[in-house]
Amino acid sequence: MNYHTRKWVKPEDLNPNQSLFGGKLLQWIDEEAALYAVIQLENKKVVTKYISEINFVSSAKQGDIIEIGIEVSAFGSTSLTLKCAVRNKMTHQTIITVERIVMVNLDEDGNPSPHGKTKVEFVKDRLNNSL
Ligand SMILES: CCCCCCCCCCCCCCCC(=O)SCCNC(=O)CCNC(=O)[C@H](O)C(C)(C)COP(=O)(O)OP(=O)(O)OC[C@H]1O[C@@H](n2cnc3c(N)ncnc32)[C@H](O)[C@@H]1OP(=O)(O)O
């Protein structure tokens, strides 16, 4: 699992229990998964198709730094299946896990389109290969 993104839990991110609002966390996860898929599939037209069971393991509070991890579970024909975990940056305590997030690659008309990818690629390698 690679943890790419850090977030700082601010007052506006809290629920009435003064812990991190679950909906805010899911928004951050969806955005992270979409960005990851856009970069991997090299296509800006990617949508979230399916999010599996979500396990809120522990909570975060104001001032906590959290980090969002994503890894690829599977490359499909038009889809990319991701796994996600969010943890406290300082303690590494798990906050949430999402087993499966299915992102679908779309064509210009918004229909599923084969992405042709089979393995994780790194931008630095793409740049080196294009030299
Ligand atoms: C200039 C601008 C710069 C911007 C540059 C930066 C961008 C930075 C992004 C920021 C953030 C963006 C935000 C995006 C993230 C949202 O929020 S997207 C919004 C929410 N999602 C939607 O609106 C999607 C609505 N659903 C749909 O439109 C249609 O269901 C879809 C996605 C087109 C798929 O249609 P479908 O008929 O189900 O298609 P189908 O061919 O049957 O299946 C397609 C694939 O999905 C899989 N699948 C279908 N159903 C399921 C299921 N229930 N479970 C698992 N897999 C399934 C299939 O197995 C298939 O995969 P492959 O076998 O081909 O690999």
Side-chain angles (χ1 to χ4, degrees):
M1 183 81 65
N2 282 319
Y3 290 82
H4 296 279
T5 296
R6 297 164 194 173
K7 295 280 186 187
W8 190 30
V9 179
K10 301 194 197 73
E12 61 267 31
D13 303 324
L14 302 180
N15 60 28
N17 188 40
Q18 297 301 303
S19 60
L20 175 59
F21 178 49
K24 175 61 81 170
L25 187 51
L26 294 177
Q27 179 191 331
W28 289 342
I29 289 171
D30 192 32
E31 198 172 306
E32 183 72 7
L35 282 171
Y36 189 94
V38 165
I39 293 165
Q40 281 304 316
L41 304 181
E42 296 186 83
N43 179 14
K44 287 174 183 161
K45 292 200 72 174
V46 172
V47 286
T48 312
K49 172 63 188 175
Y50 175 84
I51 299 181
S52 75
E53 187 175 297
I54 295 161
N55 185 3
F56 286 93
V57 179
S58 67
S59 63
K61 60 184 188 311
Q62 187 179 334
D64 283 350
I65 301 166
I66 66 168
E67 53 184 0
I68 305 170
I70 296 274
E71 74 182 19
V72 174
S73 305
F75 285 89
S77 166
T78 66
S79 68
L80 176 65
T81 304
L82 305 172
K83 182 176 181 171
C84 175
V86 179
R87 67 184 184 185
N88 182 298
K89 171 72 182 164
M90 309 307 269
T91 65
H92 283 193
Q93 184 178 23
T94 299
I95 295 167
I96 193 173
T97 57
V98 187
E99 272 311 302
R100 286 178 71 217
I101 303 174
V102 179
M103 310 300 296
V104 174
N105 188 67
L106 303 181
D107 64 17
E108 282 304 309
D109 301 320
N111 298 314
S113 171
H115 49 64
K117 303 286 188 183
T118 55
K119 62 178 174 45
V120 172
E121 295 174 0
F122 299 95
V123 172
K124 66 173 169 31
D125 296 331
R126 287 182 191 148
L127 292 173
N128 285 337
N129 292 338
S130 69
L131 289 177

